[in-house]
């Protein structure tokens, strides 16, 4: 009888491991292949599953697979099933072996002679090793790779490695291995992410689209079919913009510029609004806009900067430590999918400021102190938010903020001046690359910040808005002001190149602009340019065809996939700073005493820009409410669910149980956003230093977890801790911390900021880029630092 069960089990396994995929070629109306189109399952549960067509328009979207969501070991071995293409930033140094397909041959390129042997190995889609195809020392040049004969039609992973640098691509083999396409570039190391696909319930259809084209849906009859040529038709957006513009009165044009802080059906109609801030779930304003003469739909903007509503991801500073562009792309797709069903179509994200001092209250909003890390993440975040198809129900417009050099103000002051380098050349080398990367990735909008640059406020900075961004870089989306920055200087703000005006007074603003037009202070061309840019994005978003969100997305706000991706982000964002005596990982059978309010407080874990109070507040400054979001997990709860020993908890260090084998203490900052977080001293509080010291006085090993929006001067904390973990502002998935503390996953995070040894070292950054520095000396931990156990 037992034998019988065993063989049934095997059959099931074989069934699930057979791999099927839908392949095809995306072409336009002239049958020309369309690269970089987005292919998505339309089944709502699988909306995070997508691939992009390659340079020859080919795509291969593997069948969704059902996963056991509770089996962590499964995530470790089967993650290559995540069929989301990783898009390497071509500028990143990682892209060492340029793997390419030319005709029917597969090549890779080496740019410099390798000292170590270079190997090429083949794996199946689940990461199971198949064969070494190549292994020798090579001069620089192009090398042909021969695939084994008799490969079946499925997705394989090809890994090229020289021992230290790995590059992985997915290749989809079809036609009995005589033909194949590059489906993906990804890193093998990234697979233990915990990302899974959900079950697809029925054979469905796939959606093929690209910004600027009318999308197509094709029915799927089986998951192993070749869909052949899939046609998408180019839309002449510029012609549509021009023709609509030619119908508009001045009042209608001026209305397009307005973005008040809220709207109703009647205000949208009365003021001919083009936009408003913070869609909160009402169809009213859009209905109002659609009942005007020209029925121009609204742009609706909101700040989903690290997820929202039920699942919050680590803030960008932690995402920068993952160095994982696939995870960032996925995360931003999920932020969009939580934001969209509140009737929003523009996310005021990503913040890609390169913060050069940790004194700023916005450090955590940016990915890194280096332009390189910020740039690769900027591209990934734009790809995540917008996909390559803005008309998709799962994408929205991204906003790059805060142009220009928002992270470069003196002392990190939110409203300060960027004068932290001797000239604009240096400022531009440090602060502009992520914006350039975001613009190149197709970002629909850019927000200017509160700062001034060498004395000129960004609100009126023609040189940086019009000359650099629009003229020099060719940015063709719209530029939005920050909150109220046009106030009192509306005309110069518009003449500087702003197209959309956040939080203006709808009663006075239109008259100011109309008067300026009649006095020739604003030209007709400038007005038309602004409106043209706004309409262009509305057409690209497909709002004229369908201005309504897919409200079914509201049913997935805390779906397992969202939580799993967020948890994977948490794991990879953690940076292990110290691990004496192999204190980590903690044995799952140890008795763990957890200490500190920060260990059991979601509000603290999420930081600013998080509605964690449970009252539906907007959450700008965050909250200190411990358990405001049902289904979320604090650090303590994460530990409780993984640890099999006795877990005890206290907010202070007075009653440490004698039976405890290890103490996990969490300390950090209380939430803040923007100027409320600007500091002159970033030394962690004495209370928190004392708390860690009291834990250490017990003689038990102490693991300290830092919940902070920035690196802080830690004084006595490192010495009083056997292990030290920077957890940043990890969001709602505290389980991700427990995963790593107890050894289910190792630490991989690398610091995205230099960690100062003392406050006086601020500003302290890696390398010498020519901008301001503090007192000098060695940092406590350098940029890029991060241990594993
Ligand atoms: C912030 C922006 C944000 C805007 C709208 C401003 O205070 O600086 O980052 O997008 O508010 O909420």
């Amino acid at each position: 009888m037992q034998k019988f069960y065993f063989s049934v089990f095997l059959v099931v396994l074989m069934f699930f491991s057979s791999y099927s995929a839908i392949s095809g070629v995306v072409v336009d109306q002239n049958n020309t292949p369309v690269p970089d189109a987005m292919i998505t399952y339309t089944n709502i549960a699988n909306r995070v599953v997508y691939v992009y067509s390659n340079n020859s328009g080919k795509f291969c979207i593997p069948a969704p697979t059902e996963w056991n969501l509770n089996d962590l070991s499964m995530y470790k071995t089967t993650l290559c099933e995540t069929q989301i293409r990783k898009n390497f930033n071509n500028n990143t140094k990682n892209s060492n072996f340029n793997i390419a397909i030319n005709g029917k041959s597969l090549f890779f390129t080496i740019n410099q002679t390798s000292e170590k042997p270079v190997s090429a190995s083949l794996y199946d889609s689940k990461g199971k090793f198949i064969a070494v195809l190549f292994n020798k020392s090579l001069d620089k040049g192009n090398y042909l790779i021969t695939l084994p004969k008799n490969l079946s039609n499925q997705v394989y992973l090809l890994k090229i490695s020289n021992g230290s640098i790995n590059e992985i691509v997915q290749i989809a083999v079809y036609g009995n291995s005589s033909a194949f396409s590059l489906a993906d570039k990804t890193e093998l190391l990234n697979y233990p992410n915990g990302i899974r696909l959900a079950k697809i319930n029925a054979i469905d259809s796939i959606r093929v689209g690209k910004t600027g084209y009318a999308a197509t849906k094709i029915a799927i009859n089986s998951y192993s079919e070749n869909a052949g040529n899939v046609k998408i038709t180019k839309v002449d957006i510029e012609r549509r913009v021009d023709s609509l513009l030619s119908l508009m009165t001045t009042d209608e044009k001026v209305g397009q510029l307005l973005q008040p802080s809220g709207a109703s059906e009647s205000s949208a109609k009365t003021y001919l609004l083009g936009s408003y801030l913070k869609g909160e779930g009402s169809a009213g304003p859009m209905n109002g806009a659609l009942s005007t003469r020209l029925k121009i739909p609204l742009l609706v903007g909101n700040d989903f900067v690290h997820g929202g509503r039920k699942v919050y991801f680590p803030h960008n500073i932690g995402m920068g430590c993952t160095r994982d562009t696939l995870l960032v792309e996925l995360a931003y797709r999920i932020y969009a999918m939580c934001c969209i069903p509140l009737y929003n179509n523009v996310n005021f994200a990503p913040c890609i400021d390169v913060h050069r001092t940790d004194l700023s209250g916005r450090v955590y909003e940016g990915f890194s102190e280096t332009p390189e890390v910020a740039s690769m993440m900027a591209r990934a975040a734009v790809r995540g938010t917008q996909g390559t198809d803005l008309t998709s129900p799962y994408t929205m417009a991204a906003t790059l903020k805060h142009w220009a050099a928002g992270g470069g103000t003196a002392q990190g002051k939110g409203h300060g001046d960027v004068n932290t380098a001797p000239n604009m050349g240096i400022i531009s080398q440090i602060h502009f690359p992520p914006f350039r990367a975001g613009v190149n990735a197709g970002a629909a909008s850019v927000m200017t910040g509160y700062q001034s640059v060498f004395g000129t406020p960004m609100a009126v900075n023609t040189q940086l808005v019009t000359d650099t961004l629009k003229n020099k870089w060719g940015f063709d989306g719209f530029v939005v002001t920050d909150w109220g920055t046009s106030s009192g200087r509306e005309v110069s703000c518009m003449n500087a190149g702003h197209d959309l005006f956040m939080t203006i007074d709808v009663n006075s603003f239109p008259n100011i602009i109309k008067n300026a037009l009649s006095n020739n202070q604003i030209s007709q061309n400038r007005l038309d340019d602004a409106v043209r840019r706004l309409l262009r994005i509305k057409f690209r978003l497909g709002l004229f065809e369908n201005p309504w969100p897919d409200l079914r997305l509201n049913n997935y706000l805390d779906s397992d996939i969202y939580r799993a991706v967020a948890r994977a982000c948490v794991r990879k964002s953690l940076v292990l700073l110290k691990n004496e005596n192999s204190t980590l990982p903690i044995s799952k059978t140890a008795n763990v005493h957890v200490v500190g309010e920060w260990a059991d407080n979601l509000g603290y874990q999420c930081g600013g820009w998080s509605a964690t109070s449970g009252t539906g507040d907007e959450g700008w400054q965050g909250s200190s409410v411990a358990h405001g979001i049902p289904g979320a997990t604090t650090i303590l709860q994460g530990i409780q669910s993984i640890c099999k020993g006795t877990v005890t908890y206290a907010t202070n260090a007075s009653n440490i149980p004698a039976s405890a084998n290890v103490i996990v203490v969490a300390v950090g900052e209380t939430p803040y956003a923007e100027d409320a977080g600007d500091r002159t001293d970033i030394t962690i509080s004495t209370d928190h230093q004392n708390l860690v010291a009291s834990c250490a006085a017990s003689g038990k090993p102490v693991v300290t977890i830092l919940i902070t929006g920035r690196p802080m001067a830690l004084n006595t904390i490192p010495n009083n801790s056997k292990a030290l973990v920077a957890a940043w502002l990890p969001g709602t998935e505290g389980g991700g911390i427990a995963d790593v503390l107890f050894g289910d996953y190792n630490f991989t995070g690398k610091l995205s900021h230099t960690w100062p040894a003392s406050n006086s070292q601020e500003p302290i950054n890696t390398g010498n880029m020519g901008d301001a520095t503090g007192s000098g000396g060695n940092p406590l931990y350098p940029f890029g630092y991060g241990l594993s156990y």
Side-chain angles (χ1 to χ4, degrees):
M1 197 58 186
Q2 262 186 344
K3 256 191 193 151
F4 173 68
Y5 278 127
F6 185 60
S7 59
V8 169
F9 182 57
L10 266 187
V11 169
V12 170
L13 263 187
M14 278 163 59
F15 176 72
F16 275 110
S17 62
S18 75
Y19 203 78
S20 47
I22 301 150
S23 57
V25 184
V26 187
V27 296
D28 67 10
Q29 61 269 42
N30 304 319
N31 279 326
T32 309
V34 181
D36 225 15
M38 187 169 146
I39 298 97
T40 329
Y41 284 103
T42 55
N43 182 302
I44 192 88
N46 289 285
R47 64 215 170 278
V48 286
V49 179
Y50 59 97
V51 295
Y52 301 118
S53 59
N54 73 5
N55 282 343
S56 342
K58 287 180 188 152
F59 69 89
C60 172
I61 185 163
T65 312
E66 188 181 354
W67 299 93
N68 176 354
L69 300 181
N70 299 315
D71 179 1
L72 270 178
S73 64
M74 185 166 173
Y75 312 155
K76 285 191 196 170
T77 53
T78 50
L79 280 168
C80 337
E81 293 279 7
T82 307
Q83 300 307 336
I84 292 112
R85 218 181 102 153
K86 171 157 183 169
N87 295 285
F88 261 64
N89 180 339
N90 288 335
N91 302 324
T92 59
K93 292 178 188 126
N94 291 345
S95 217
N96 259 34
F97 312 105
N98 194 5
I99 303 166
I101 286 179
N102 186 351
K104 286 190 174 179
S105 308
L106 187 57
F107 286 99
F108 70 96
T109 312
I110 304 188
N111 299 328
Q112 60 193 49
T113 301
S114 65
E115 283 162 21
K116 298 184 213 154
V118 177
S119 66
S121 318
L122 198 68
Y123 299 79
D124 76 4
S125 61
K126 297 188 174 180
K128 192 167 156 253
F129 172 78
I130 297 176
V132 174
L133 307 178
F134 209 103
N135 189 7
K136 46 184 156 176
S137 293
L138 297 172
D139 292 336
K140 65 180 176 187
N142 286 331
Y143 293 90
L144 180 69
I145 299 174
T146 314
L147 292 178
K149 292 210 167 66
N150 307 325
L151 288 180
S152 52
N153 292 352
Q154 64 177 64
V155 170
Y156 293 90
L157 297 165
L158 175 70
K159 174 183 174 188
I160 313 271
S161 169
N162 68 359
S164 49
I165 298 163
N166 298 321
E167 186 159 327
I168 310 289
V169 289
Q170 289 188 11
I171 33 177
V173 172
Y174 51 96
N176 292 332
S177 80
S178 58
F180 41 89
S181 68
L182 279 187
D184 189 10
K185 274 195 175 188
T186 189
E187 269 176 292
L188 194 60
L189 297 176
N190 286 338
Y191 291 152
N193 282 340
I195 303 160
R196 308 135 307 163
L197 306 177
K199 185 178 175 184
I200 189 162
N201 290 317
I203 301 281
D204 198 350
S205 60
I206 55 172
R207 184 183 193 281
V208 178
K210 183 170 180 175
T211 304
Y213 292 77
T216 306
K217 268 186 195 170
I218 52 171
I220 300 170
N221 301 311
S222 98
Y223 283 130
S224 54
E225 75 182 47
N226 184 342
N229 283 0
V230 181
K231 200 166 280 185
I232 57 175
T233 314
K234 202 160 197 164
V235 180
D236 191 345
I237 285 182
E238 296 308 308
R239 198 184 50 79
R240 292 182 73 182
V241 170
D242 285 341
S243 99
L244 179 53
L245 196 64
S246 71
L247 302 175
M248 292 172 80
T249 64
T250 301
D251 281 332
E252 284 164 337
K253 288 180 184 175
V254 172
Q256 287 300 303
L257 314 178
L258 309 177
Q259 187 178 64
S261 57
S264 62
E265 180 159 355
S266 75
S267 76
K269 197 170 168 182
T270 312
Y271 297 102
L272 300 168
L273 295 185
S275 176
Y276 70 100
L277 196 90
K278 297 210 193 299
E280 286 174 335
S282 160
M286 191 65 90
N287 275 324
L290 297 178
S291 64
T292 59
R293 183 179 79 102
L294 293 173
K295 305 181 175 45
I296 303 177
L298 295 165
L299 291 172
V300 189
N302 210 330
D303 295 272
F304 273 55
V305 301
H306 71 134
R309 304 173 70 184
K310 295 192 173 167
V311 181
Y312 286 97
F313 285 62
H315 269 292
N316 281 351
I317 193 168
M319 296 297 256
C321 296
T322 69
R323 302 291 201 276
D324 188 329
T325 50
L326 167 63
L327 271 184
V328 169
E329 182 173 334
L330 269 173
Y332 274 77
R333 175 64 42 80
I334 293 170
Y335 305 172
M337 290 191 300
C338 296
C339 185
I340 289 167
L342 288 174
Y343 293 79
N344 298 295
N345 47 38
V346 178
N347 197 359
F348 294 137
C351 173
I352 51 175
D353 293 331
V354 178
H355 281 281
R356 299 293 283 179
T357 164
D358 304 307
L359 301 180
S360 166
R362 305 198 84 152
V363 172
Y364 67 80
E365 292 186 59
F367 289 104
S368 176
E369 72 184 27
T370 71
E372 289 81 11
V373 173
S375 299
M376 80 193 212
M377 295 313 187
R379 181 175 195 276
V382 170
R383 298 281 286 201
T385 312
Q386 302 192 160
T388 53
D389 179 11
L390 275 174
T391 69
S392 160
Y394 315 125
T395 63
M396 67 196 303
T399 308
L400 309 175
K401 68 188 191 181
H402 304 84
W403 178 250
T409 57
Q411 288 88 46
K413 291 208 167 59
H415 288 68
D417 190 33
V418 178
N419 55 9
T420 40
N423 57 54
M424 190 66 107
I426 294 177
I427 291 296
S428 64
Q429 279 167 23
I430 298 170
H431 296 278
F432 292 9
F435 287 86
R436 192 73 195 262
V439 166
N440 289 347
S445 79
V446 172
M447 185 190 297
T448 54
Y450 294 126
Q451 72 277 13
S452 51
V453 179
F454 292 120
T456 309
M458 281 312 302
V460 295
N461 203 317
T462 314
Q463 188 201 345
L464 292 175
V465 178
T466 299
D467 300 350
T468 304
L469 184 64
K470 291 183 169 177
N471 294 344
K472 197 166 155 206
W473 293 2
F475 171 65
D476 69 358
F478 64 86
V479 179
V480 58
T481 69
D482 205 339
W483 188 286
T485 58
S486 66
S487 176
R489 49 190 177 193
E490 293 80 359
V491 174
S492 45
C493 185
M494 178 145 182
N495 281 332
H498 288 93
D499 310 305
L500 185 61
F501 297 82
M502 190 192 284
T503 64
I504 34 67
D505 172 357
V506 285
N507 288 307
S508 59
F509 184 89
N511 288 331
I512 298 174
I513 300 300
K514 283 191 284 180
N515 286 339
L517 276 166
S518 46
N519 299 334
N520 291 325
Q521 287 172 303
I522 292 177
S523 68
Q524 187 65 41
N525 274 348
R526 177 71 272 270
L527 175 64
D528 287 351
D529 171 56
V531 177
R532 184 174 276 118
R533 286 166 180 273
L534 294 161
L535 295 179
R536 179 181 290 141
I537 298 304
K538 292 182 181 188
F539 278 112
R540 284 190 188 160
L541 281 163
L543 297 180
F544 289 88
E545 286 70 39
N546 177 16
W548 304 111
D550 184 340
L551 293 178
R552 290 177 303 167
L553 288 171
N554 277 322
N555 302 331
Y556 291 89
L557 297 176
D558 57 354
S559 80
D560 289 330
I561 294 186
Y562 294 6
R563 289 212 187 281
V565 177
R567 186 168 176 159
C569 291
V570 174
R571 289 197 284 268
K572 294 200 79 180
S573 68
L574 303 176
V575 183
L576 181 61
L577 300 172
K578 178 177 176 183
N579 191 21
E580 225 172 86
N581 304 341
S582 299
T583 305
L584 294 178
I586 302 170
S587 154
K588 285 189 186 167
T589 53
N591 297 330
V592 179
H593 184 56
V594 182
V595 174
E597 226 188 306
W598 271 251
D600 193 31
N601 189 302
L602 276 178
Y604 293 169
Q605 251 172 249
C606 291
W609 300 101
S610 318
T612 44
S613 71
T615 60
D617 67 314
E618 66 154 16
W620 178 43
Q621 293 292 329
S623 85
S624 57
V625 176
H627 299 279
I629 302 183
T633 310
T634 62
I635 301 171
L636 172 67
Q637 291 167 327
I639 292 175
Q640 284 166 334
S641 72
I642 284 191
C643 181
K644 304 209 171 25
T646 306
V647 178
T648 46
Y649 172 63
T651 52
N652 59 39
S654 51
N655 285 317
I656 297 172
S659 58
N661 303 109
V662 57
I663 299 173
V664 175
V665 52
V667 291
E669 293 184 292
T670 48
Y672 51 78
E674 302 188 32
D675 299 6
D678 290 351
R679 302 276 180 268
T680 50
D681 187 349
I682 51 164
T683 310
I684 200 160
S685 75
T686 359
D687 283 356
H688 284 186
Q689 292 180 47
N690 292 342
L691 183 66
V692 177
S694 314
C695 292
S698 70
K700 296 181 188 294
V702 173
V703 178
T704 302
I705 300 182
L706 302 164
I707 303 293
T708 66
R710 56 182 128 212
M712 302 186 82
L714 298 174
N715 281 6
T716 56
I717 288 181
N719 278 344
N720 285 326
S721 311
K722 288 281 178 253
L724 186 61
V725 177
W728 313 110
L729 300 170
T732 51
E733 305 315 303
I737 297 180
D739 286 342
V740 181
L741 292 184
F742 291 89
D744 282 334
Y745 293 81
N746 207 333
F747 286 89
T748 55
K750 304 284 175 221
L751 287 180
S752 54
H753 281 257
T754 305
W755 201 295
S758 71
N759 194 62
S760 68
Q761 286 183 324
E762 288 293 338
I764 182 167
N765 294 298
T766 183
N768 179 2
M769 296 197 73
D771 59 347
T773 52
S775 65
N778 288 334
L780 186 60
Y781 305 107
F783 174 85
Y785 184 79
L787 306 170
S788 300
Y789 44 69

